[in-house]
Amino acid sequence: MSRYRPRTLALELSMIAIALLVGFPVYVLVNLALRPASDTSSPISPTRSPTLDNFTQAWQQGALGGALANSLLVTACSVVIVLAVSSLAAYPLARITARWSRGTYLLVLLGLVLPFQLAALPLYQTMRDLGLLGTPWALVLFYSGLQVPFTVFLYVGFLRALPRDFEDAALIDGCTPLQGFRYVVLPMLKPVTVTALVLNTVAVWNDFFTPLLYLSGSAQQTMPVAIAGFVGQYVTDWNLIFAALVISILPVLLVYFLLQRSIINGFAGGLRG
């Protein structure tokens, strides 16, 4: 029978302290989002008269409806393309041991080392020549290339830890390599796929610089750019900013709660691997 020891108490107190440390910014965010503009008390003190007017004003003044739709479109299309391309590219890179395969893999990983800012001007000119500036499709094309190296890295590491027995059996039964990947390998990639989905979703959803660059001068904008529009040179309404931030966070939280079990299993599987 286990005893309640001082070490257990210290561990519990440490966990509580970490939880309070992580939860404090969330408390301040929600507290100020519900606070009327006339309330000038400390951000730490609880709001005495909470209101939802900040959310209504932020939605109307910041045109958050269109920004939210653009962010959802860009994120969904980009993540789907990245997962499809990366999984298909990682399969031969992980299974083929030829010299060209290793060289190609290192070439893909080079995308993790080189900062994308080096190609910002050439990419901007390319988007302009394609007529995509000011449209969400410029962002989809950009993210579909930017996130592939990291996602391929995740898939290759996971695939190398998977046994090849099921694939070999499928090939013996007459499946083509593509059919073996689709019906045998892809279902086993669910843990790393969910992990890659979450990481790519957060990266694309929270990006500020790229939408600001490619959508500048147009009516199209994403949530981070729309929220930045509330910051003025002389006047900044922080209550509306925090309300807009809460609206921006909700879709990501919804995805997390819907995929919570798969996300935990994905990270646990990666740690075991």
Side-chain angles (χ1 to χ4, degrees):
M1 182 177 180
S2 60
R3 296 180 179 179
Y4 193 83
R5 301 178 178 180
R7 181 179 178 181
T8 305
L9 176 61
L11 181 60
E12 290 180 353
L13 292 177
S14 300
M15 298 287 288
I16 293 173
I18 293 174
L20 292 176
L21 184 64
V22 173
F24 179 73
V26 179
Y27 161 74
V28 175
L29 172 66
V30 177
N31 188 41
L32 293 180
L34 296 173
R35 176 171 296 182
S38 57
D39 189 347
T40 58
S41 58
S42 172
I44 302 177
S45 61
T47 300
R48 299 172 184 174
S49 302
T51 178
L52 296 177
D53 291 341
N54 293 328
F55 296 92
T56 304
Q57 295 181 29
W59 185 270
Q60 295 174 350
Q61 295 182 19
L64 296 186
L68 183 62
N70 286 331
S71 290
L72 290 173
L73 174 65
V74 170
T75 303
C77 293
S78 301
V79 171
V80 169
I81 294 174
V82 168
L83 293 180
V85 172
S86 301
S87 59
L88 288 171
Y91 181 57
L93 293 177
R95 289 298 188 238
I96 300 176
T97 58
R99 182 176 300 178
W100 68 265
S101 177
R102 285 176 287 181
T104 305
Y105 180 55
L106 292 177
L107 185 62
V108 172
L109 293 185
L110 189 62
L112 293 175
V113 181
L114 297 177
F116 76 92
Q117 289 85 353
L118 293 177
L121 182 57
L123 286 174
Y124 184 88
Q125 294 174 341
T126 301
M127 297 297 180
R128 181 196 60 192
D129 296 338
L130 294 174
L132 296 178
L133 286 181
T135 67
W137 303 113
L139 300 179
V140 172
L141 184 60
F142 175 84
Y143 293 129
S144 298
L146 179 68
Q147 299 299 122
V148 163
F150 174 70
T151 311
V152 168
F153 172 74
L154 292 178
Y155 273 115
V156 169
F158 193 87
L159 280 166
R160 286 177 175 173
L162 286 179
R164 302 186 58 166
D165 300 342
F166 296 104
E167 302 167 55
D168 295 337
L171 294 176
I172 294 174
D173 289 340
C175 287
T176 64
L178 185 59
Q179 289 174 333
F181 172 77
R182 178 182 177 184
Y183 296 108
V184 179
V185 178
L186 191 59
M188 294 190 293
L189 294 180
K190 182 181 178 181
V192 69
T193 298
V194 174
T195 302
L197 184 148
V198 173
L199 296 177
N200 283 295
T201 297
V202 172
V204 174
W205 185 271
N206 291 333
D207 187 29
F208 173 77
F209 174 76
T210 307
L212 181 66
L213 179 64
Y214 289 154
L215 302 181
S216 179
S218 69
Q220 305 286 345
Q221 56 185 352
T222 58
M223 287 298 292
V225 179
I227 294 172
F230 287 105
V231 180
Q233 182 177 2
Y234 301 105
V235 178
T236 300
D237 196 333
W238 291 107
N239 299 87
L240 297 186
I241 292 177
F242 286 119
L245 285 173
V246 172
I247 296 174
S248 177
I249 292 171
L250 289 179
V252 180
L253 286 179
L254 179 61
V255 172
Y256 175 78
F257 285 126
L258 291 176
L259 301 176
Q260 183 177 10
R261 179 173 297 179
S262 298
I263 293 171
I264 295 174
N265 292 337
F267 280 110
L271 290 175
R272 287 196 300 268

Short mmCIF file of all heavy atoms in Angstrom, two decimals, residues 37-102:
data_model
loop_
_atom_site.label_atom_id
_atom_site.label_comp_id
_atom_site.label_asym_id
_atom_site.label_seq_id
_atom_site.Cartn_x
_atom_site.Cartn_y
_atom_site.Cartn_z
N ALA A 37 -15.53 49.08 -20.82
CA ALA A 37 -14.45 50.04 -21.05
C ALA A 37 -14.36 51.06 -19.92
O ALA A 37 -13.29 51.63 -19.67
CB ALA A 37 -14.64 50.75 -22.38
N SER A 38 -15.47 51.30 -19.23
CA SER A 38 -15.48 52.28 -18.14
C SER A 38 -14.80 51.77 -16.88
O SER A 38 -14.46 52.55 -15.99
CB SER A 38 -16.92 52.68 -17.81
OG SER A 38 -17.69 51.53 -17.47
N ASP A 39 -14.59 50.48 -16.79
CA ASP A 39 -13.96 49.88 -15.61
C ASP A 39 -12.44 49.97 -15.76
O ASP A 39 -11.85 49.32 -16.62
CB ASP A 39 -14.40 48.43 -15.46
CG ASP A 39 -13.96 47.83 -14.12
OD1 ASP A 39 -13.12 48.44 -13.43
OD2 ASP A 39 -14.45 46.74 -13.79
N THR A 40 -11.80 50.79 -14.95
CA THR A 40 -10.34 51.00 -15.03
C THR A 40 -9.59 50.36 -13.87
O THR A 40 -8.47 50.75 -13.56
CB THR A 40 -10.03 52.51 -15.06
OG1 THR A 40 -10.57 53.12 -13.87
CG2 THR A 40 -10.63 53.16 -16.29
N SER A 41 -10.20 49.39 -13.23
CA SER A 41 -9.54 48.73 -12.11
C SER A 41 -8.42 47.83 -12.60
O SER A 41 -8.20 47.66 -13.81
CB SER A 41 -10.57 47.91 -11.31
OG SER A 41 -11.19 46.95 -12.14
N SER A 42 -7.71 47.24 -11.68
CA SER A 42 -6.57 46.40 -12.02
C SER A 42 -6.99 45.20 -12.87
O SER A 42 -8.08 44.64 -12.65
CB SER A 42 -5.89 45.91 -10.74
OG SER A 42 -4.89 44.95 -11.04
N PRO A 43 -6.18 44.81 -13.85
CA PRO A 43 -6.53 43.64 -14.66
C PRO A 43 -6.66 42.36 -13.85
O PRO A 43 -7.33 41.42 -14.29
CB PRO A 43 -5.37 43.54 -15.65
CG PRO A 43 -4.75 44.90 -15.67
CD PRO A 43 -4.95 45.45 -14.30
N ILE A 44 -6.04 42.32 -12.68
CA ILE A 44 -6.09 41.11 -11.87
C ILE A 44 -7.39 41.00 -11.10
O ILE A 44 -7.90 39.90 -10.86
CB ILE A 44 -4.89 41.09 -10.89
CG1 ILE A 44 -3.57 41.17 -11.66
CG2 ILE A 44 -4.92 39.84 -10.03
CD1 ILE A 44 -2.35 41.22 -10.79
N SER A 45 -7.97 42.14 -10.71
CA SER A 45 -9.21 42.11 -9.94
C SER A 45 -10.36 41.60 -10.80
O SER A 45 -10.47 41.94 -11.98
CB SER A 45 -9.53 43.50 -9.41
OG SER A 45 -9.71 44.41 -10.49
N PRO A 46 -11.25 40.78 -10.24
CA PRO A 46 -12.37 40.24 -11.03
C PRO A 46 -13.30 41.35 -11.51
O PRO A 46 -13.51 42.37 -10.83
CB PRO A 46 -13.08 39.32 -10.03
CG PRO A 46 -12.07 39.00 -8.99
CD PRO A 46 -11.19 40.22 -8.89
N THR A 47 -13.82 41.18 -12.69
CA THR A 47 -14.76 42.15 -13.26
C THR A 47 -16.08 42.09 -12.51
O THR A 47 -16.68 41.02 -12.37
CB THR A 47 -14.98 41.85 -14.76
OG1 THR A 47 -13.73 41.93 -15.43
CG2 THR A 47 -15.96 42.83 -15.36
N ARG A 48 -16.53 43.24 -12.06
CA ARG A 48 -17.75 43.28 -11.25
C ARG A 48 -19.01 43.24 -12.10
O ARG A 48 -20.02 42.67 -11.68
CB ARG A 48 -17.73 44.55 -10.39
CG ARG A 48 -16.55 44.61 -9.43
CD ARG A 48 -16.47 45.96 -8.73
NE ARG A 48 -15.29 46.05 -7.88
CZ ARG A 48 -14.91 47.16 -7.25
NH1 ARG A 48 -15.64 48.27 -7.37
NH2 ARG A 48 -13.82 47.14 -6.49
N SER A 49 -18.97 43.84 -13.26
CA SER A 49 -20.14 43.86 -14.14
C SER A 49 -19.77 43.32 -15.52
O SER A 49 -19.53 44.08 -16.46
CB SER A 49 -20.69 45.30 -14.26
OG SER A 49 -21.03 45.82 -13.00
N PRO A 50 -19.63 42.02 -15.65
CA PRO A 50 -19.22 41.45 -16.94
C PRO A 50 -20.24 41.73 -18.04
O PRO A 50 -21.45 41.79 -17.79
CB PRO A 50 -19.11 39.95 -16.65
CG PRO A 50 -19.95 39.72 -15.45
CD PRO A 50 -19.88 40.98 -14.64
N THR A 51 -19.75 41.91 -19.25
CA THR A 51 -20.60 42.21 -20.40
C THR A 51 -20.06 41.53 -21.64
O THR A 51 -18.85 41.27 -21.74
CB THR A 51 -20.68 43.74 -20.63
OG1 THR A 51 -21.48 44.00 -21.78
CG2 THR A 51 -19.30 44.32 -20.83
N LEU A 52 -20.95 41.26 -22.57
CA LEU A 52 -20.57 40.67 -23.86
C LEU A 52 -20.52 41.71 -24.97
O LEU A 52 -20.32 41.35 -26.14
CB LEU A 52 -21.57 39.57 -24.24
CG LEU A 52 -21.62 38.35 -23.30
CD1 LEU A 52 -22.69 37.37 -23.77
CD2 LEU A 52 -20.27 37.66 -23.23
N ASP A 53 -20.67 42.99 -24.60
CA ASP A 53 -20.64 44.04 -25.62
C ASP A 53 -19.28 44.12 -26.32
O ASP A 53 -19.21 44.49 -27.50
CB ASP A 53 -20.96 45.40 -24.99
CG ASP A 53 -22.41 45.48 -24.54
OD1 ASP A 53 -23.22 44.67 -25.02
OD2 ASP A 53 -22.73 46.34 -23.69
N ASN A 54 -18.21 43.79 -25.62
CA ASN A 54 -16.89 43.84 -26.25
C ASN A 54 -16.80 42.88 -27.43
O ASN A 54 -16.19 43.20 -28.46
CB ASN A 54 -15.81 43.51 -25.23
CG ASN A 54 -15.69 44.56 -24.15
OD1 ASN A 54 -15.91 45.75 -24.39
ND2 ASN A 54 -15.33 44.14 -22.94
N PHE A 55 -17.40 41.72 -27.29
CA PHE A 55 -17.37 40.74 -28.37
C PHE A 55 -18.18 41.23 -29.57
O PHE A 55 -17.75 41.07 -30.72
CB PHE A 55 -17.92 39.40 -27.89
CG PHE A 55 -17.09 38.76 -26.82
CD1 PHE A 55 -17.37 38.97 -25.48
CD2 PHE A 55 -16.02 37.94 -27.15
CE1 PHE A 55 -16.60 38.37 -24.49
CE2 PHE A 55 -15.25 37.33 -26.17
CZ PHE A 55 -15.54 37.56 -24.84
N THR A 56 -19.32 41.85 -29.30
CA THR A 56 -20.13 42.38 -30.40
C THR A 56 -19.41 43.51 -31.12
O THR A 56 -19.37 43.56 -32.36
CB THR A 56 -21.47 42.88 -29.85
OG1 THR A 56 -22.13 41.81 -29.15
CG2 THR A 56 -22.37 43.38 -30.98
N GLN A 57 -18.84 44.44 -30.35
CA GLN A 57 -18.12 45.55 -30.98
C GLN A 57 -16.89 45.08 -31.73
O GLN A 57 -16.60 45.56 -32.83
CB GLN A 57 -17.73 46.57 -29.90
CG GLN A 57 -18.90 47.26 -29.23
CD GLN A 57 -18.45 48.26 -28.19
OE1 GLN A 57 -17.38 48.85 -28.30
NE2 GLN A 57 -19.27 48.46 -27.16
N ALA A 58 -16.15 44.15 -31.16
CA ALA A 58 -14.96 43.63 -31.84
C ALA A 58 -15.34 42.93 -33.13
O ALA A 58 -14.66 43.10 -34.16
CB ALA A 58 -14.21 42.67 -30.91
N TRP A 59 -16.42 42.18 -33.11
CA TRP A 59 -16.88 41.46 -34.31
C TRP A 59 -17.27 42.44 -35.41
O TRP A 59 -16.95 42.23 -36.58
CB TRP A 59 -18.05 40.57 -33.94
CG TRP A 59 -18.53 39.70 -35.06
CD1 TRP A 59 -19.48 39.99 -35.99
CD2 TRP A 59 -18.06 38.38 -35.37
NE1 TRP A 59 -19.65 38.95 -36.86
CE2 TRP A 59 -18.80 37.94 -36.51
CE3 TRP A 59 -17.12 37.53 -34.81
CZ2 TRP A 59 -18.59 36.69 -37.09
CZ3 TRP A 59 -16.92 36.29 -35.39
CH2 TRP A 59 -17.64 35.88 -36.51
N GLN A 60 -17.93 43.52 -35.03
CA GLN A 60 -18.40 44.48 -36.03
C GLN A 60 -17.28 45.42 -36.50
O GLN A 60 -17.09 45.62 -37.70
CB GLN A 60 -19.58 45.28 -35.47
CG GLN A 60 -20.81 44.44 -35.18
CD GLN A 60 -21.90 45.22 -34.49
OE1 GLN A 60 -21.70 46.37 -34.05
NE2 GLN A 60 -23.08 44.63 -34.36
N GLN A 61 -16.56 46.01 -35.56
CA GLN A 61 -15.54 46.99 -35.92
C GLN A 61 -14.34 46.36 -36.64
O GLN A 61 -13.75 46.99 -37.51
CB GLN A 61 -15.06 47.73 -34.67
CG GLN A 61 -16.14 48.56 -33.99
CD GLN A 61 -15.61 49.30 -32.78
OE1 GLN A 61 -14.40 49.49 -32.61
NE2 GLN A 61 -16.52 49.73 -31.91
N GLY A 62 -13.98 45.15 -36.26
CA GLY A 62 -12.82 44.51 -36.86
C GLY A 62 -13.14 43.63 -38.05
O GLY A 62 -12.22 43.02 -38.61
N ALA A 63 -14.43 43.57 -38.45
CA ALA A 63 -14.84 42.68 -39.55
C ALA A 63 -14.29 41.28 -39.33
O ALA A 63 -13.71 40.66 -40.21
CB ALA A 63 -14.37 43.25 -40.89
N LEU A 64 -14.50 40.77 -38.12
CA LEU A 64 -13.93 39.48 -37.75
C LEU A 64 -14.62 38.31 -38.45
O LEU A 64 -14.04 37.22 -38.53
CB LEU A 64 -14.00 39.29 -36.24
CG LEU A 64 -13.19 40.28 -35.39
CD1 LEU A 64 -13.23 39.88 -33.92
CD2 LEU A 64 -11.75 40.34 -35.87
N GLY A 65 -15.83 38.53 -38.96
CA GLY A 65 -16.50 37.45 -39.67
C GLY A 65 -15.74 37.03 -40.91
O GLY A 65 -15.46 35.84 -41.13
N GLY A 66 -15.37 38.01 -41.74
CA GLY A 66 -14.59 37.71 -42.94
C GLY A 66 -13.20 37.21 -42.61
O GLY A 66 -12.68 36.30 -43.27
N ALA A 67 -12.58 37.80 -41.57
CA ALA A 67 -11.24 37.36 -41.18
C ALA A 67 -11.26 35.93 -40.67
O ALA A 67 -10.35 35.14 -40.97
CB ALA A 67 -10.68 38.30 -40.11
N LEU A 68 -12.30 35.59 -39.91
CA LEU A 68 -12.42 34.22 -39.41
C LEU A 68 -12.62 33.22 -40.55
O LEU A 68 -12.01 32.14 -40.56
CB LEU A 68 -13.58 34.13 -38.42
CG LEU A 68 -13.80 32.78 -37.73
CD1 LEU A 68 -12.59 32.40 -36.90
CD2 LEU A 68 -15.06 32.83 -36.85
N ALA A 69 -13.43 33.60 -41.53
CA ALA A 69 -13.64 32.72 -42.69
C ALA A 69 -12.35 32.53 -43.47
O ALA A 69 -12.03 31.41 -43.91
CB ALA A 69 -14.73 33.31 -43.58
N ASN A 70 -11.59 33.61 -43.66
CA ASN A 70 -10.31 33.50 -44.38
C ASN A 70 -9.32 32.62 -43.62
O ASN A 70 -8.62 31.79 -44.22
CB ASN A 70 -9.71 34.89 -44.59
CG ASN A 70 -10.43 35.68 -45.65
OD1 ASN A 70 -11.01 35.11 -46.58
ND2 ASN A 70 -10.42 36.99 -45.52
N SER A 71 -9.25 32.79 -42.31
CA SER A 71 -8.33 31.97 -41.51
C SER A 71 -8.72 30.49 -41.58
O SER A 71 -7.85 29.62 -41.69
CB SER A 71 -8.32 32.44 -40.06
OG SER A 71 -7.68 33.70 -39.94
N LEU A 72 -10.01 30.21 -41.50
CA LEU A 72 -10.47 28.82 -41.59
C LEU A 72 -10.15 28.23 -42.96
O LEU A 72 -9.69 27.08 -43.07
CB LEU A 72 -11.98 28.75 -41.32
CG LEU A 72 -12.43 29.01 -39.88
CD1 LEU A 72 -13.95 29.07 -39.81
CD2 LEU A 72 -11.90 27.94 -38.94
N LEU A 73 -10.38 29.01 -44.02
CA LEU A 73 -10.10 28.53 -45.37
C LEU A 73 -8.61 28.26 -45.57
O LEU A 73 -8.22 27.18 -46.05
CB LEU A 73 -10.58 29.56 -46.39
CG LEU A 73 -10.23 29.29 -47.86
CD1 LEU A 73 -10.93 28.02 -48.36
CD2 LEU A 73 -10.60 30.49 -48.73
N VAL A 74 -7.80 29.23 -45.19
CA VAL A 74 -6.35 29.09 -45.38
C VAL A 74 -5.81 27.93 -44.55
O VAL A 74 -5.02 27.10 -45.04
CB VAL A 74 -5.63 30.41 -45.01
CG1 VAL A 74 -4.13 30.20 -44.96
CG2 VAL A 74 -5.99 31.50 -46.01
N THR A 75 -6.22 27.84 -43.30
CA THR A 75 -5.70 26.79 -42.42
C THR A 75 -6.12 25.41 -42.88
O THR A 75 -5.31 24.49 -42.96
CB THR A 75 -6.16 27.04 -40.98
OG1 THR A 75 -5.74 28.34 -40.55
CG2 THR A 75 -5.58 26.00 -40.04
N ALA A 76 -7.41 25.25 -43.20
CA ALA A 76 -7.91 23.93 -43.60
C ALA A 76 -7.25 23.47 -44.90
O ALA A 76 -6.75 22.33 -44.97
CB ALA A 76 -9.43 23.98 -43.77
N CYS A 77 -7.22 24.32 -45.91
CA CYS A 77 -6.63 23.92 -47.20
C CYS A 77 -5.14 23.65 -47.05
O CYS A 77 -4.62 22.65 -47.59
CB CYS A 77 -6.87 25.02 -48.23
SG CYS A 77 -8.60 25.25 -48.70
N SER A 78 -4.44 24.51 -46.32
CA SER A 78 -2.99 24.35 -46.17
C SER A 78 -2.65 23.06 -45.44
O SER A 78 -1.76 22.30 -45.86
CB SER A 78 -2.39 25.54 -45.44
OG SER A 78 -2.65 26.75 -46.12
N VAL A 79 -3.35 22.79 -44.35
CA VAL A 79 -3.03 21.61 -43.55
C VAL A 79 -3.35 20.33 -44.32
O VAL A 79 -2.58 19.35 -44.27
CB VAL A 79 -3.79 21.65 -42.21
CG1 VAL A 79 -3.65 20.34 -41.45
CG2 VAL A 79 -3.28 22.81 -41.34
N VAL A 80 -4.46 20.30 -45.04
CA VAL A 80 -4.81 19.11 -45.82
C VAL A 80 -3.74 18.84 -46.88
O VAL A 80 -3.29 17.70 -47.08
CB VAL A 80 -6.20 19.27 -46.46
CG1 VAL A 80 -6.45 18.18 -47.49
CG2 VAL A 80 -7.28 19.24 -45.40
N ILE A 81 -3.32 19.89 -47.58
CA ILE A 81 -2.29 19.72 -48.62
C ILE A 81 -0.97 19.28 -48.02
O ILE A 81 -0.30 18.37 -48.53
CB ILE A 81 -2.12 21.03 -49.42
CG1 ILE A 81 -3.39 21.34 -50.21
CG2 ILE A 81 -0.93 20.94 -50.36
CD1 ILE A 81 -3.37 22.69 -50.90
N VAL A 82 -0.60 19.89 -46.91
CA VAL A 82 0.68 19.54 -46.27
C VAL A 82 0.68 18.09 -45.81
O VAL A 82 1.66 17.35 -46.03
CB VAL A 82 0.95 20.49 -45.09
CG1 VAL A 82 2.09 19.97 -44.22
CG2 VAL A 82 1.28 21.89 -45.59
N LEU A 83 -0.40 17.64 -45.18
CA LEU A 83 -0.46 16.26 -44.70
C LEU A 83 -0.43 15.27 -45.86
O LEU A 83 0.24 14.23 -45.79
CB LEU A 83 -1.71 16.06 -43.85
CG LEU A 83 -1.77 16.82 -42.53
CD1 LEU A 83 -3.07 16.51 -41.80
CD2 LEU A 83 -0.59 16.48 -41.64
N ALA A 84 -1.17 15.57 -46.93
CA ALA A 84 -1.21 14.66 -48.07
C ALA A 84 0.16 14.57 -48.75
O ALA A 84 0.68 13.46 -49.00
CB ALA A 84 -2.27 15.12 -49.06
N VAL A 85 0.76 15.72 -49.02
CA VAL A 85 2.05 15.73 -49.72
C VAL A 85 3.14 15.12 -48.84
O VAL A 85 3.97 14.32 -49.30
CB VAL A 85 2.41 17.17 -50.13
CG1 VAL A 85 3.84 17.24 -50.67
CG2 VAL A 85 1.44 17.68 -51.18
N SER A 86 3.16 15.47 -47.58
CA SER A 86 4.23 15.01 -46.69
C SER A 86 4.17 13.51 -46.44
O SER A 86 5.20 12.84 -46.43
CB SER A 86 4.15 15.76 -45.36
OG SER A 86 4.28 17.15 -45.55
N SER A 87 2.97 12.98 -46.24
CA SER A 87 2.86 11.53 -46.00
C SER A 87 3.27 10.74 -47.23
O SER A 87 3.97 9.72 -47.13
CB SER A 87 1.42 11.18 -45.59
OG SER A 87 0.49 11.57 -46.59
N LEU A 88 2.84 11.19 -48.42
CA LEU A 88 3.22 10.50 -49.66
C LEU A 88 4.72 10.63 -49.93
O LEU A 88 5.35 9.69 -50.43
CB LEU A 88 2.43 11.06 -50.83
CG LEU A 88 0.94 10.69 -50.88
CD1 LEU A 88 0.23 11.48 -51.96
CD2 LEU A 88 0.77 9.19 -51.12
N ALA A 89 5.31 11.77 -49.61
CA ALA A 89 6.73 11.96 -49.83
C ALA A 89 7.57 11.20 -48.81
O ALA A 89 8.65 10.68 -49.13
CB ALA A 89 7.08 13.44 -49.78
N ALA A 90 7.08 11.11 -47.58
CA ALA A 90 7.86 10.47 -46.52
C ALA A 90 7.90 8.96 -46.68
O ALA A 90 8.87 8.32 -46.26
CB ALA A 90 7.28 10.82 -45.15
N TYR A 91 6.87 8.36 -47.29
CA TYR A 91 6.82 6.90 -47.40
C TYR A 91 8.01 6.33 -48.17
O TYR A 91 8.73 5.46 -47.65
CB TYR A 91 5.49 6.48 -48.01
CG TYR A 91 5.32 4.99 -48.14
CD1 TYR A 91 5.42 4.17 -47.03
CD2 TYR A 91 5.08 4.41 -49.37
CE1 TYR A 91 5.26 2.80 -47.13
CE2 TYR A 91 4.91 3.04 -49.50
CZ TYR A 91 5.01 2.25 -48.37
OH TYR A 91 4.86 0.88 -48.49
N PRO A 92 8.27 6.78 -49.40
CA PRO A 92 9.47 6.23 -50.08
C PRO A 92 10.78 6.67 -49.45
O PRO A 92 11.76 5.91 -49.46
CB PRO A 92 9.34 6.78 -51.51
CG PRO A 92 8.48 7.98 -51.39
CD PRO A 92 7.52 7.68 -50.28
N LEU A 93 10.81 7.86 -48.87
CA LEU A 93 12.04 8.30 -48.23
C LEU A 93 12.39 7.44 -47.02
O LEU A 93 13.57 7.26 -46.70
CB LEU A 93 11.91 9.76 -47.80
CG LEU A 93 11.80 10.80 -48.92
CD1 LEU A 93 11.61 12.19 -48.35
CD2 LEU A 93 13.05 10.77 -49.82
N ALA A 94 11.37 6.92 -46.34
CA ALA A 94 11.61 6.09 -45.16
C ALA A 94 11.86 4.63 -45.52
O ALA A 94 12.59 3.93 -44.81
CB ALA A 94 10.42 6.19 -44.21
N ARG A 95 11.28 4.17 -46.61
CA ARG A 95 11.36 2.75 -46.95
C ARG A 95 12.51 2.42 -47.91
O ARG A 95 13.04 1.33 -47.88
CB ARG A 95 10.02 2.29 -47.56
CG ARG A 95 8.89 2.23 -46.55
CD ARG A 95 9.20 1.23 -45.48
NE ARG A 95 8.07 0.99 -44.58
CZ ARG A 95 8.10 1.17 -43.28
NH1 ARG A 95 9.21 1.66 -42.72
NH2 ARG A 95 7.07 0.90 -42.52
N ILE A 96 12.87 3.34 -48.77
CA ILE A 96 13.94 3.09 -49.73
C ILE A 96 15.26 3.51 -49.11
O ILE A 96 15.40 4.64 -48.62
CB ILE A 96 13.68 3.85 -51.05
CG1 ILE A 96 12.36 3.40 -51.68
CG2 ILE A 96 14.83 3.64 -52.03
CD1 ILE A 96 11.98 4.17 -52.92
N THR A 97 16.23 2.63 -49.14
CA THR A 97 17.52 2.90 -48.50
C THR A 97 18.61 3.26 -49.50
O THR A 97 19.78 3.28 -49.15
CB THR A 97 17.97 1.67 -47.70
OG1 THR A 97 18.05 0.54 -48.60
CG2 THR A 97 16.98 1.36 -46.59
N ALA A 98 18.24 3.55 -50.72
CA ALA A 98 19.24 3.92 -51.73
C ALA A 98 19.86 5.27 -51.39
O ALA A 98 19.33 6.06 -50.59
CB ALA A 98 18.59 3.97 -53.12
N ARG A 99 21.01 5.54 -52.03
CA ARG A 99 21.74 6.77 -51.75
C ARG A 99 20.93 8.00 -52.15
O ARG A 99 20.93 9.01 -51.46
CB ARG A 99 23.08 6.75 -52.48
CG ARG A 99 23.95 7.98 -52.22
CD ARG A 99 25.30 7.85 -52.90
NE ARG A 99 26.03 6.68 -52.39
CZ ARG A 99 27.22 6.32 -52.86
NH1 ARG A 99 27.79 7.00 -53.85
NH2 ARG A 99 27.82 5.26 -52.36
N TRP A 100 20.20 7.90 -53.26
CA TRP A 100 19.42 9.05 -53.71
C TRP A 100 18.31 9.38 -52.72
O TRP A 100 17.93 10.55 -52.55
CB TRP A 100 18.84 8.80 -55.10
CG TRP A 100 17.77 7.73 -55.14
CD1 TRP A 100 17.94 6.42 -55.44
CD2 TRP A 100 16.37 7.90 -54.84
NE1 TRP A 100 16.75 5.73 -55.37
CE2 TRP A 100 15.76 6.63 -55.00
CE3 TRP A 100 15.58 8.97 -54.45
CZ2 TRP A 100 14.40 6.41 -54.79
CZ3 TRP A 100 14.21 8.75 -54.25
CH2 TRP A 100 13.65 7.50 -54.42
N SER A 101 17.77 8.35 -52.06
CA SER A 101 16.71 8.57 -51.08
C SER A 101 17.23 9.35 -49.88
O SER A 101 16.60 10.31 -49.42
CB SER A 101 16.12 7.23 -50.63
OG SER A 101 15.13 7.44 -49.64
N ARG A 102 18.40 8.98 -49.39
CA ARG A 102 18.99 9.70 -48.26
C ARG A 102 19.37 11.12 -48.65
O ARG A 102 19.20 12.06 -47.87
CB ARG A 102 20.21 8.94 -47.75
CG ARG A 102 19.86 7.69 -46.94
CD ARG A 102 21.07 6.90 -46.54
NE ARG A 102 21.65 6.20 -47.69
CZ ARG A 102 22.72 5.43 -47.64
NH1 ARG A 102 23.34 5.26 -46.48
NH2 ARG A 102 23.17 4.82 -48.71
#
